[in-house]
């Protein structure tokens, strides 16, 4: 039995790799005025609401100056993705703000990632005067305090000092969310001047057990004391920020409390064991759990790694028993997804052995000397035509096998180039995965493949590529550690599902490899149900 070696959880590490090189704005010396003037200003970009989303019109503003000015676009991308759950959005550099720009929106989110970013006076004045919801994240709150002489009296707090304690926990709604202590950027410890006017929404807990506000709300202003996108894990304080948006983005129409669960059976191909697939389908059907099945329709082993050195290449058409098992899964409540075409690329390792389900298909990668998977960039020959041809070949193979053409795409190993993502959006418009994003996508500049970052979603979104995204957010069962990732068992996924309960309209969405049998599922499914989740189909998450 062939055991895939790789998991999508490496995408969380991609975010860590990006942020580990930067001070997240703290202590960064801004470029001088001449440099700021010479640098091109990124263009504003707008996006539509996710299906079933609310009516909010959110303005997302971000920093662009200094050595790490590029990180402003990174954080704005992730915020815009989340904001789509609540309505439409427009993202733009804060430097481009003009007086009364706020009037066209129902809410504004400002992401302070550069220490002492020169904020336009018009922006500060409009924020001070508006009654619309304002979410201010991290740096430069002191500029608003200084500009508005009534700020302390009105809001009951002023900017304080950064706390560099090894805060490993953020308490939100009585739930302990994690925070990676590799993040040494500090958290703003506000100076509270009138506690009656300030409501603490979440607290940062120091190693000695003492705490201070991590996020507060006063009037129409919500302030978050750090950037919540750095060093994110399944159980992270990122979940608190994702939930706070339900309040700060105004009348969204999606404020009801509900908790849905999703199950996806992963890496199914012509080489799969039909009996394993039927057993999975029978168990989930008995549990009244609708599920998705991620299928690559062509199997390739160009070096014969799994066949004593003899190359293999065949499709579902040559494996009627697998096709029959897939039809059986459909009859038992399964929905087939297009998980690429071959789930590998070419004949060389990418990054393992060239075998389907092991390797990347739309992105190049290698394993370094420390046993970590490194993302290298688009594959050779990457283009819109390349991506479209593989999607078309995959769809034709599904159709010839009599299974119908899937309407939802999942990138193998959650990785593709910006062009690939844009092509999937234009051809299919819907994905079921975690996204891989790059500086340049939001700002309209050259795509920077050296600074890719990943994001998972606790609810359905329409991301910056324009695709509707069905979320996967609590990972998968991995009995053994690999590539510097620890083992992850059903209890770990259930614990993540429990933490995700802090998110209104949040989900607990996992994927599962059929070669593991049903024993782990028999722990996982009842455990998630016991938390109050209701299992639904993926498509129901993005229905209008």
């Amino acid at each position: 039995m062939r055991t895939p070696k790789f998991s999508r959880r490496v995408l969380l590490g991609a975010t860590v790799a990006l942020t580990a090189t930067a001070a997240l704005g703290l202590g960064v010396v801004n470029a001088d005025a001449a440099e700021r003037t010479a640098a091109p200003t990124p263009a504003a970009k707008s996006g539509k609401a996710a299906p079933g989303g609310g009516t909010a019109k959110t303005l997302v503003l971000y920093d662009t100056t200094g050595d790490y000015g590029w990180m402003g676009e990174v954080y704005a991308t992730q915020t815009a993705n989340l904001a789509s759950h609540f309505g439409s959005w427009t993202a733009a550099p804060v430097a481009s703000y003009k007086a009364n720009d706020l009037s066209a929106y129902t809410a504004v989110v400002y992401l302070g990632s550069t220490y002492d970013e020169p904020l336009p006076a018009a922006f500060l004045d409009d924020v001070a005067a508006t009654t619309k919801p304002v979410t201010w994240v991290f740096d430069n709150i002191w500029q608003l305090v200084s500009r508005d002489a009534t700020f302390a009296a009105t809001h009951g707090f002023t900017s304080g000092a950064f706390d560099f304690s090894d805060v490993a926990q953020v308490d939100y709604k009585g739930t302990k969310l994690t925070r990676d202590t590799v993040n040494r950027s500090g958290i703003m410890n506000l100076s509270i001047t009138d506690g009656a006017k300030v409501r603490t929404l979440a607290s940062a807990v120091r190693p000695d057990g003492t705490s201070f506000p991590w996020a507060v709300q006063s009037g129409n202003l919500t302030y978050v004391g750090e950037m919540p996108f750095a060093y994110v894990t399944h159980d992270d304080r990122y979940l608190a920020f994702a939930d706070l948006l339900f309040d700060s983005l105004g009348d969204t129409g999606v404020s009801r409390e509900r908790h849905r669960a999703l199950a996806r059976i992963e890496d199914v191909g012509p080489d799969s064991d039909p009996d394993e697939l039927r057993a999975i389908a029978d168990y989930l059907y008995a549990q009244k759990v609708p599920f998705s099945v991620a299928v690559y329709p062509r199997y390739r082993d160009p070096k014969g790694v799994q066949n004593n050195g003899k190359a293999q290449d065949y499709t579902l058409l040559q494996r009627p028993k697998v096709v029959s098992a897939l039809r059986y899964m459909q009859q038992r409540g399964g929905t087939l997804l297009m998980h690429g075409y071959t789930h590998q690329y070419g004949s060389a390792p990418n990054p393992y052995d060239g075998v389907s389900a092991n390797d990347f298909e739309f992105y190049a990668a290698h394993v370094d000397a420390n046993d970590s998977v490194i993302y290298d960039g688009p594959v050779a020959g990457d283009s819109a035509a390349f991506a479209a041809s593989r999607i078309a070949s995959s769809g034709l193979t599904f159709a010839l096998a009599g299974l119908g053409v899937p309407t939802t795409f999942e990138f193998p190993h959650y990785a593709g180039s910006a062009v690939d993502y844009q092509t999937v959006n234009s051809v299919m418009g819907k994905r079921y995965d975690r996204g891989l994003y790059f500086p340049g996508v939001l700002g309209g500049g050259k795509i920077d493949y050296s600074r890719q970052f990943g994001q998972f979603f606790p609810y359905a979104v329409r991301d910056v590529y324009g695709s509707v995204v069905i979320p996967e957010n609590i990972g998968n069962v991995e009995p053994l550690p690999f590539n510097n990732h620890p083992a992850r068992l059903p209890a770990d996924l259930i614990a993540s599902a429990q933490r995700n309960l802090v998110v209104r309209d949040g989900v607990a969405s996992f994927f599962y490899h059929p070669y593991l049998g049903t024993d782990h599922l028999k722990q996982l499914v009842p455990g998630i149900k016991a938390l109050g989740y209701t299992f639904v189909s993926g498509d129901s998450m993005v229905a209008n």
Side-chain angles (χ1 to χ4, degrees):
M1 178 177 65
R2 180 177 54 82
T3 302
K5 305 186 185 79
F6 193 67
S7 162
R8 274 95 229 102
R9 284 192 289 119
V10 77
L11 197 54
L12 295 173
T15 303
V16 173
L18 179 150
T19 55
T21 63
L24 305 178
L26 280 173
V28 172
V29 179
N30 285 315
D32 60 30
E35 287 178 313
R36 289 197 298 270
T37 301
T41 300
K45 182 168 182 175
S46 298
K48 298 187 297 183
T55 58
K57 296 180 180 179
T58 304
L59 177 61
V60 179
L61 297 172
Y62 59 96
D63 294 344
T64 53
T65 68
D67 294 340
Y68 299 106
W70 57 272
M71 296 190 74
E73 184 184 342
V74 170
Y75 299 135
T77 297
Q78 295 177 89
T79 302
N81 287 338
L82 293 176
S84 71
H85 185 70
F86 306 92
S88 62
W89 55 267
T90 297
V94 69
S96 67
Y97 187 90
K98 300 295 188 295
N100 207 37
D101 279 353
L102 250 176
S103 63
Y105 303 93
T106 61
V108 60
V109 179
Y110 165 63
L111 301 155
S113 60
T114 296
Y115 190 89
D116 274 345
E117 174 90 2
L119 299 181
F123 170 63
L124 296 172
D125 291 344
D126 283 358
V127 167
T130 190
T131 58
K132 295 178 180 181
V134 175
T135 301
W136 192 294
V137 181
F138 201 30
D139 276 344
N140 306 318
I141 186 67
W142 50 87
Q143 294 189 45
L144 181 61
V145 172
S146 177
R147 182 75 179 180
D148 179 7
T150 66
F151 186 91
T154 301
H155 294 286
F157 71 88
T158 64
S159 55
F162 290 105
D163 191 304
F164 290 93
S165 303
D166 289 335
V167 171
Q169 177 182 310
V170 171
D171 283 358
Y172 181 61
K173 292 184 175 180
T175 296
K176 294 176 173 58
L177 302 175
T178 61
R179 180 180 185 268
D180 196 321
T181 55
V182 172
N183 182 359
R184 307 293 296 183
S185 62
I187 304 172
M188 170 62 73
N189 189 351
L190 298 172
S191 175
I192 307 297
T193 58
D194 185 348
K197 294 180 179 178
V198 183
R199 183 163 68 99
T200 297
L201 304 174
S203 298
V205 182
R206 301 184 183 94
D208 64 3
T210 61
S211 64
F212 61 97
W214 183 84
V216 299
Q217 183 268 327
S218 179
N220 66 316
L221 175 64
T222 298
Y223 177 75
V224 179
E226 68 166 338
M227 201 58 65
F229 300 112
Y231 303 92
V232 171
T233 69
H234 300 98
D235 308 311
D236 200 81
R237 83 287 195 218
Y238 163 74
L239 300 175
F241 180 75
D243 184 66
L244 289 174
L245 294 179
F246 281 89
D247 297 321
S248 62
L249 296 192
D251 181 15
T252 67
V254 291
S255 59
R256 61 189 178 279
E257 187 90 15
R258 62 177 174 178
H259 300 286
R260 293 172 287 179
L262 300 173
R264 191 180 73 218
I265 307 307
E266 196 75 347
D267 290 341
V268 175
D271 56 317
S272 294
D273 184 325
D275 292 336
E276 291 175 350
L277 300 182
R278 289 174 181 270
I280 294 285
D282 284 341
Y283 174 72
L284 293 176
Y285 181 74
Q287 291 294 312
K288 296 181 172 57
V289 172
F291 57 96
S292 299
V293 188
V295 182
Y296 56 92
R298 179 180 174 187
Y299 174 78
R300 294 194 71 229
D301 179 3
K303 300 293 186 182
V305 174
Q306 302 291 332
N307 193 37
N308 298 316
K310 184 178 179 180
Q312 297 185 93
D313 189 343
Y314 53 86
T315 73
L316 288 172
L317 298 175
Q318 283 78 53
R319 293 296 185 270
K321 290 184 179 180
V322 175
V323 172
S324 177
L326 288 173
R327 289 200 187 101
Y328 186 80
M329 296 183 92
Q330 290 176 310
Q331 295 164 3
R332 286 289 191 265
T335 300
L336 305 189
L337 312 174
M338 183 183 292
H339 195 23
Y341 180 35
T342 65
H343 204 314
Q344 55 83 242
Y345 174 79
S347 298
N350 187 39
Y352 298 113
D353 53 18
V355 178
S356 290
N358 286 0
D359 279 15
F360 289 70
E361 182 172 354
F362 292 88
Y363 212 70
H366 72 277
V367 179
D368 69 9
N370 296 318
D371 195 35
S372 294
V373 176
I374 305 300
Y375 289 61
D376 297 320
V379 297
D382 180 65
S383 67
F386 163 82
S389 68
R390 296 190 80 83
I391 294 170
S393 296
S394 183
L396 178 61
T397 308
F398 275 100
L400 291 174
L403 295 169
V405 180
T407 60
T408 301
F409 193 85
E410 180 197 343
F411 272 97
H413 294 323
Y414 292 171
S417 72
V419 170
D420 298 333
Y421 276 97
Q422 291 157 354
T423 303
V424 167
N425 178 50
S426 65
V427 175
M428 301 185 75
K430 185 170 56 177
R431 302 196 325 269
Y432 186 169
D433 53 24
R434 306 183 185 195
L436 189 63
Y437 304 96
F438 313 92
V441 172
L442 191 70
K446 182 179 179 181
I447 305 300
D448 185 351
Y449 286 110
S450 69
R451 291 168 170 163
Q452 73 276 340
F453 55 100
Q455 186 178 12
F456 68 86
F457 308 111
Y459 34 63
V461 305
R462 185 189 297 275
D463 74 357
V464 296
Y465 297 118
S467 290
V468 174
V469 183
I470 301 168
E472 181 279 296
N473 64 321
I474 65 171
N476 65 299
V477 174
E478 289 284 357
L480 299 174
F482 69 100
N483 291 137
N484 296 310
H485 293 283
R488 192 162 167 82
L489 299 175
D492 298 307
L493 274 69
I494 293 167
S496 294
Q498 190 277 327
R499 289 186 172 96
N500 271 274
L501 288 171
V502 302
V503 182
R504 281 160 281 185
D505 204 21
V507 303
S509 178
F510 67 87
F511 64 95
Y512 189 85
H513 292 99
Y515 64 81
L516 291 175
T518 59
D519 287 348
H520 294 300
L521 273 183
K522 290 176 181 178
Q523 300 173 57
L524 189 54
V525 169
I528 290 175
K529 284 183 176 181
L531 293 172
Y533 286 94
T534 300
F535 277 91
V536 299
S537 68
D539 283 343
S540 72
M541 291 289 303
V542 292
N544 282 304

